[in-house]
Amino acid sequence: MITLIKRPTPSRFWSFTTPVLAVIATMIAGGVLFSILGKDPVQAIKVIFWDPLLGPNAAYFRGQLLVKAGPLILIAAGLAVGFRAGIWNIGAEGQYIMGALAGASVALAAYPAESHWLFPAMVVAGALGGWIWGMIPAVLKVLFGTSEILVSLMLVYVAQNFLAWAAFGPLKNPEGYGFPGSRNLQQYPSAHNPELFAGTGMHWGVVAALIAVIATYVLMQRHIAGFRIRVAGEAPRAARFAGVLPANLVMFCLGLSGALAGLAGMFEVSGPSGQITDSFNAGYGFTAIIVAFLGRLNAIGILLAGLLMALTYIGGDMAQLMLGLPTAAIQVFQGMLLFFLLGFDLLTHYRLRLGKGSK
Amino acid sequence: MTGSLLKIEGLTKAYPGVVANDGVGFEVAPGEVHALLGENGAGKSTLVKMIYGLVKPDAGRMTFQGRPYTPAEPRAARAAGVAMVFQHFSLFEALNVAENVALGMENPPPMGDLAERIRAISTAYGLPLDPARTVGDLSAGERQRVEIIRCLLQDPKLLIMDEPTSVLTPQEVEILFHTLRKLAAEGTAILYISHKLEEIRSLCDGATILRGGKVVASCIPREKSARELAELMVGGEFAATDRAGRVSGATILEVDHLNLPPMTQFGPALKNVSFSLAAGEVLGIGGVAGNGQEELLATLSGERPSGAGTVSLHGQDISDLGPNDRRRLGLLAAPEERLGHAAVPNLSLTENAILTGTVRRPLTRNGFLNMGAARRFAEEIIKGFDVRTPGPHVAARALSGGNLQKFVIGREVLQSPEVLVVNQPTWGVDAAAAAAIRQSLLDLAAKGAAVIVISQDLDELMEIADRFCALNEGRLSEPRPTEGLTMEEIGLMLGGAHGMQEAAL
C-alpha cells in the first residue's frame, strides 16, 4: 500500500522536477496511444518534439514557435495572477477576441491614413477591449456575487458571435469580393505588427509577452500587491485581516488578465493572422489556462510552458500532416500533459511511503 | 471498588518523528472518576483515541471487564460499552436534537420513542433537553448535553470525556459535575481529560499524569494542591505572572452602542456593545466562544466596518477604517484562528511577518518588499518570544500550535501597539508558553498600551485582567474590577446556566 505523508514545507526539488516528469510520462502514455492508433510511437514523438526544433525543416518551424508561444505566454501571465488569488478567469478566449476586434476596429476606422500614432492607439484599444470584457464578470461578481467562472466562460460565446457579426458585417472588407473577413492589416503599414527580425517569428506581441513575464514576476515576488494576491489565494480570511479588500482584488485580477488577453488578440490580428474572420480565434485563451498551470502559476515557469505548448502545437500539426494522426489524438496528447502535471504535483506537497500504512 | 474495569499495560503509539504514547499503563475501577492530566501534546488524546478504537496501538495490552480488549473501530468500542464525548461536537445545526441523536445510533428507534427516551434520560440525570429544538439554536452547554445523552442512551460502562468544561459557564460546570457524580454512583466509570486542576481536585477519585507520552505520576487529586499537580504536569516549577507596575491612564479606545448583524447563519449578532479602555489597562472579556467573540474582534481589527461613531480611538471615529489604517493609528489585533486567519499556513514565517507588519515596520520601500528587513523582523519575533523553529524560512503550518501562537502574539506586540486586541491568546498552548504570552501582554500594558483579552479561560482572565466583562449572545455586560469578583458573580455575568431556569436543582 502507498501512504501519503504531507510535507511540512513544499519540496523545492520536486516543484522543479515534476514538470519534467510530467513531460516524460506524457511521452510514454502518448506513445502508447499512438501505437494503438497504428503509428510508430518513437517516430510520432520525434515528429512532435524533435523535428520542429532540429529537423530538416526546422528553420521555418522555429519562427512559428514564437508566433504560437507569444499569445499563450501573454495570456497565461495575466491568468496566473488571478489564479494565484483564487479568481478563475476561464474566459480569456473571449477577451482575446474582443481585444482583437477593438484593435482592428481602430485600424480599419483610420484606413487608409498612415500615422505613427495608429499602432500605439491600437495597442491601447486592444488592451481596453479585453479589459472591458474582463470587467463584466468582475463587476457582476462584486455586485451580485455571481461566479466569475461561469460568467467569463459564457462571455466567450457572446464574443464569438460578436466576431462573426463583425466579420460578416461592419468590418467586412468592401473590396473583398463578398468574402467574409476584414481587410488584411498586413497590407496596411501603419497598422501592421511585423516580424521584427526575419525568420525569428519575433513580433511586438512576443516583446509584450516578455515584458508581461518580467512585470508579473516582479509583481508577485517582490511587490506588496503581489504578496497580498498570494495571501488571498492561500487564506482569504488572513488576506482580509491584512487589509485586502476582496472587491478590489477581483477587479484587479480580472481586469489585468482581460487586458493582457486583449493585447494578445490585437497583436495577433495585426500580425500573424492579419485579418478579422469568423474563425479568427484559435483557442489560445483556453490553452493559456493549461500553460498557466503547467508553468506552476509562476512567471518564469509560464515562459517555458508556453514554449513547450507551442512546440506540441506545431509538432502536433506536423504529426497530423506527415503521419496522418487525427486531430483528436493530438488534443488528447495535450490533455495528458496537464493531467500528468497535476498528478505529479502531489509529490511537491506529499511524501510517498511504500509499505504498510498506519493511521 | 473491586477489581478493575479497564486495565491498560504498556500501550505504545509512535507517529513519524514523535512517540505519542510510550508504555502507558493505568487502571480504572467501576464507578471511578479517573482523570487524565497533562499538557497539550502530552499524549492524552492519542491514549483515549486508542481506547475508543480510533487509533490502533503499536504495542501494549488493554483489558476491559476482565477480557482482552482490542477495538478495531469506534463501533466495536461502543458495543463493548465504551462511549466518548468529544471536545469538538459533531452535530448538525440544521437538525433537531432527536434527529442528531438518531444519526449517531446503529439502529435508531422510531422518532416518537426516541424523543420520549431522550426526555426521560435527560431529566433523570438533571440535563433538561427538548428533543424537538433545532441544534443551531442551542448554547454550547446544551449542545454538549446532546452529545452526553447520545452516549447515555447506549448505557455505557465507561464514559470518556475530552475537556468537557472548556465551553461551559461555572453554573453549567456544576450541573455537569452533578450528572457525572450520579453516573459514577450508579457504577459507570468516567475517564476525564482536562488540564483544569481545581475541577479535577473536586471531581476525580484518581488521576494519571502524562508528560511527553509517559506516565510520570498517579495520585489521588484531592490529596495534592493545584500547584503540586501543575508542577507534576509541567515537570518543574513555573513562574507566577507579575502584574506589578501598571497605572491606568487616559481613555484610548471607546466602543459605543455597537450593533452588527450576524456574519453566518447561526452566528450571533452584536447587540448594543459599549465599553471604554484606558491606557495601561487590561480588559478581560469572558464568555463561551461563539457568543460574538469573533465578531467583536473583527469590528475592532477593522475587518468588518461598523456604523459611524461606534468605535473611536483617541477620540477619532475609526468605525469605517480598514485594518491597515487602524494599524497605522496603533490599534492591532491577533485573531483566535491561527492557521488561515492570523497566519497563512503555506507561507514562511518571514512572509507571515509581512502579513501585518508592513504598516508599522519599514518592511517595504515604495511598495516593494524588503525581504531582508522582513527576515530580520521574523528573527526578532522568534528570538524575543522563544518560538521553537529551525528558522524564519519554515512554513507557518509546520509549527506547533503553541509556537505559532507565540509568533502571532509576538508579531503584534513587537510593533508597539497602543491598543492590542487578542482572542483566545493561549488556546491550545502549553502551560509554560501560555505563561510567557500572558506575561508579554502584561508587560505591554505596563508600557502604557491598552490590552483587550478575549478568552474562554476564566482563570487566565482573573490572573491578568484589571476589569472583567462577559460576552453572551452578542451582549456585553458592564465591566467590573476583577479584584473581589467571585466565581458565582462571574457565572451570572456569563448568563448563568442556559435553559436551566425551569430545572430545580
Side-chain angles (χ1 to χ4, degrees):
Chain A
M1 212 183 94
I2 300 170
T3 333
L4 292 176
I5 299 160
K6 190 150 180 143
R7 296 176 191 275
T9 34
S11 159
R12 256 183 170 275
F13 170 75
W14 283 109
S15 72
F16 287 109
T17 316
T18 49
V20 178
L21 269 183
V23 170
I24 293 170
T26 309
M27 285 184 182
I28 294 168
V32 171
L33 173 78
F34 297 144
S35 66
I36 291 170
L37 289 170
K39 313 289 173 194
D40 176 7
V42 177
Q43 174 69 14
I45 299 295
K46 181 173 167 286
V47 167
I48 294 174
F49 283 106
W50 184 262
D51 286 356
L53 292 176
L54 301 157
N57 299 317
Y60 167 75
F61 290 114
R62 277 200 287 263
Q64 281 296 300
L65 194 64
L66 286 187
V67 168
K68 298 257 189 224
L72 287 176
I73 294 169
L74 186 54
I75 300 170
L79 290 180
V81 172
F83 291 170
R84 277 291 192 89
I87 292 162
W88 307 102
N89 179 4
I90 305 300
E93 185 78 359
Q95 293 138 22
Y96 172 85
I97 293 172
M98 295 314 279
L101 277 179
S105 300
V106 168
L108 294 170
Y111 183 83
E114 298 287 349
S115 160
H116 286 305
W117 293 104
L118 183 58
F119 194 68
M122 289 164 64
V123 171
V124 172
L128 209 61
W131 181 78
I132 290 171
W133 218 242
M135 284 309 275
I136 297 172
V139 170
L140 290 178
K141 185 182 175 73
V142 168
L143 291 184
F144 306 112
T146 56
S147 157
E148 77 280 15
I149 300 176
L150 283 177
V151 176
S152 65
L153 178 62
M154 288 191 294
L155 281 172
V156 172
Y157 306 112
V158 177
Q160 265 165 349
N161 283 309
F162 249 119
L163 177 71
W165 169 73
F168 285 103
L171 299 188
K172 194 163 121 181
N173 184 359
E175 293 152 26
Y177 308 105
F179 282 104
S182 70
R183 287 181 196 280
N184 196 323
L185 298 178
Q186 290 172 350
Q187 286 143 27
Y188 180 11
S190 284
H192 185 209
N193 167 24
E195 198 175 23
L196 297 172
F197 307 100
T200 58
M202 181 85 147
H203 60 78
W204 285 114
V206 178
V207 176
L210 291 176
I211 294 172
V213 163
I214 295 166
T216 54
Y217 180 83
V218 171
L219 172 75
M220 296 306 286
Q221 304 301 324
R222 292 280 169 263
H223 198 273
I224 184 78
F227 174 76
R228 290 189 173 141
I229 288 170
R230 282 191 286 147
V231 170
E234 292 274 353
R237 281 184 81 196
R240 203 166 305 180
F241 181 56
V244 178
L245 288 175
N248 291 357
L249 192 74
V250 168
M251 301 227 254
F252 175 79
C253 290
L254 280 164
L256 176 75
S257 51
L260 292 185
L263 276 180
M266 178 269 152
F267 286 121
E268 187 70 16
V269 76
S270 58
S273 156
Q275 63 174 154
I276 292 283
T277 63
D278 65 331
S279 59
F280 159 74
N281 57 315
Y284 283 132
F286 291 120
T287 311
I289 297 171
I290 304 179
V291 170
F293 278 104
L294 193 60
R296 327 208 57 76
L297 304 183
N298 170 297
I300 310 299
I302 284 167
L303 183 68
L304 300 174
L307 290 170
L308 178 68
M309 212 64 203
L311 182 64
T312 65
Y313 260 82
I314 298 163
D317 280 352
M318 278 179 81
Q320 268 181 63
L321 212 67
M322 294 170 61
L323 304 175
L325 276 171
T327 321
I330 300 298
Q331 285 169 349
V332 168
F333 184 74
Q334 285 163 347
M336 281 176 181
L337 193 58
L338 183 66
F339 172 82
F340 281 117
L341 189 92
L342 294 177
F344 281 116
D345 193 34
L346 197 78
L347 293 172
T348 315
H349 296 284
Y350 291 88
R351 204 187 302 277
L352 291 188
R353 205 175 61 181
L354 297 171
K356 242 185 85 177
S358 56
K359 271 189 192 169
Chain B
M1 292 176 207
T2 51
S4 68
L5 175 73
L6 175 72
K7 187 174 179 189
I8 287 175
E9 293 161 284
L11 217 56
T12 298
K13 174 76 199 175
Y15 290 109
V18 58
V19 181
N21 275 190
D22 188 358
V24 171
F26 66 93
E27 286 182 42
V28 183
E32 181 191 353
V33 184
H34 191 94
L36 267 184
L37 197 56
E39 289 198 278
N40 288 294
K44 295 170 297 187
S45 292
T46 307
L47 181 55
V48 293
K49 278 181 187 161
M50 288 192 283
I51 299 172
Y52 194 56
L54 280 166
V55 171
K56 240 189 225 131
D58 297 337
R61 230 184 10 253
M62 292 190 275
T63 320
F64 191 72
Q65 292 184 304
R67 282 187 293 273
Y69 173 68
T70 49
E73 50 175 350
R75 201 189 312 200
R78 284 197 294 267
V82 176
M84 179 160 173
V85 177
F86 289 89
Q87 190 177 3
H88 299 285
F89 306 144
S90 43
L91 298 172
F92 293 92
E93 294 193 324
L95 299 182
N96 71 28
V97 170
E99 286 163 342
N100 265 291
V101 170
L103 276 174
M105 297 176 86
E106 314 290 334
N107 301 303
M111 270 305 162
D113 297 0
L114 184 63
E116 214 33 66
R117 282 181 62 195
I118 290 172
R119 206 167 277 131
I121 288 204
S122 63
T123 38
Y125 287 96
L127 299 168
L129 201 58
D130 178 357
R133 277 183 71 192
T134 305
V135 165
D137 298 331
L138 301 182
S139 73
E142 287 170 310
R143 288 177 197 209
Q144 187 183 54
R145 277 178 221 164
V146 180
E147 294 273 12
I148 295 174
I149 283 163
R150 189 191 262 177
C151 289
L152 294 186
L153 282 170
Q154 305 160 18
D155 199 14
K157 307 281 179 299
L158 175 69
L159 180 62
I160 305 171
M161 302 204 74
D162 190 359
E163 307 248 354
T165 59
S166 58
V167 296
L168 303 184
T169 65
Q171 275 81 358
E172 285 176 325
V173 170
E174 264 321 302
I175 296 165
L176 174 69
F177 282 11
H178 189 82
T179 306
L180 294 182
R181 287 193 187 106
K182 187 163 177 178
L183 274 171
E186 289 171 3
T188 308
I190 293 162
L191 194 56
Y192 189 91
I193 302 169
S194 182
H195 56 241
K196 295 194 175 170
L197 306 166
E198 287 301 341
E199 278 178 6
I200 285 173
R201 291 188 62 232
S202 83
L203 180 72
C204 300
D205 308 309
T208 299
I209 297 160
L210 292 176
R211 192 197 317 144
K214 288 187 182 138
V215 175
V216 290
S218 49
C219 62
I220 294 171
R222 261 183 282 278
E223 294 169 356
K224 300 267 181 193
S225 73
R227 198 176 174 84
E228 284 171 311
L229 288 176
E231 281 167 5
L232 283 173
M233 223 162 86
V234 181
E237 298 188 15
F238 62 106
T241 40
D242 169 22
R243 50 190 289 176
R246 270 182 301 132
V247 255
S248 255
T251 300
I252 297 188
L253 182 77
E254 196 132 19
V255 174
D256 189 29
H257 294 95
L258 173 66
N259 286 290
L260 198 75
M263 299 203 283
T264 54
Q265 198 193 345
F266 289 108
L270 290 182
K271 295 166 198 144
N272 231 349
V273 170
S274 296
F275 65 90
S276 67
L277 192 64
E281 184 186 32
V282 179
L283 176 69
I285 298 182
V288 174
N291 273 291
Q293 282 80 357
E294 264 183 57
E295 288 76 6
L296 182 61
L297 183 119
T299 49
L300 292 175
S301 71
E303 288 163 89
R304 290 212 74 191
S306 50
T310 48
V311 183
S312 38
L313 188 70
H314 287 303
Q316 178 192 349
D317 181 13
I318 58 163
S319 314
D320 60 341
L321 295 186
N324 283 334
D325 286 329
R326 295 192 192 198
R327 287 189 181 111
R328 202 162 289 124
L329 294 171
L331 172 55
L332 271 54
E336 171 186 9
E337 186 66 44
R338 293 180 279 259
L339 287 174
H341 194 181
V344 185
N346 285 330
L347 295 190
S348 70
L349 293 180
T350 302
E351 289 170 305
N352 273 296
I354 295 172
L355 192 68
T356 68
T358 52
V359 179
R360 294 177 76 79
R361 284 278 183 147
L363 304 182
T364 56
R365 218 177 289 132
N366 302 325
F368 287 93
L369 301 173
N370 182 344
M371 292 309 282
R375 195 178 321 109
R376 282 191 294 279
F377 180 39
E379 276 162 0
E380 190 185 331
I381 300 167
I382 290 168
K383 220 170 143 209
F385 282 78
D386 188 29
V387 180
R388 311 272 165 82
T389 171
H393 61 277
V394 173
R397 71 174 146 84
L399 266 66
S400 73
N403 274 313
L404 188 56
Q405 185 68 23
K406 284 193 276 186
F407 183 84
V408 166
I409 298 281
R411 179 181 68 191
E412 306 305 327
V413 166
L414 286 178
Q415 294 181 53
S416 356
E418 289 189 45
V419 180
L420 179 62
V421 188
V422 294
N423 190 6
Q424 319 297 345
T426 59
W427 191 86
V429 175
D430 64 62
I437 287 172
R438 286 181 201 129
Q439 189 60 53
S440 72
L441 294 175
L442 285 172
D443 292 345
L444 188 68
K447 282 186 215 148
V451 179
I452 298 178
V453 182
I454 305 173
S455 178
Q456 297 194 76
D457 187 340
L458 293 174
D459 298 334
E460 168 172 278
L461 293 178
M462 289 306 106
E463 188 182 328
I464 63 173
D466 302 304
R467 286 189 301 156
F468 173 85
C469 53
L471 192 58
N472 185 32
E473 289 175 355
R475 287 195 184 82
L476 193 72
S477 69
E478 184 73 26
R480 291 173 59 181
T482 45
E483 237 173 77
L485 211 56
T486 66
M487 272 296 167
E488 194 76 59
E489 289 169 308
I490 291 170
L492 290 174
M493 287 168 84
L494 288 169
H498 295 273
M500 289 304 294
Q501 285 81 356
E502 65 271 38
L505 253 176

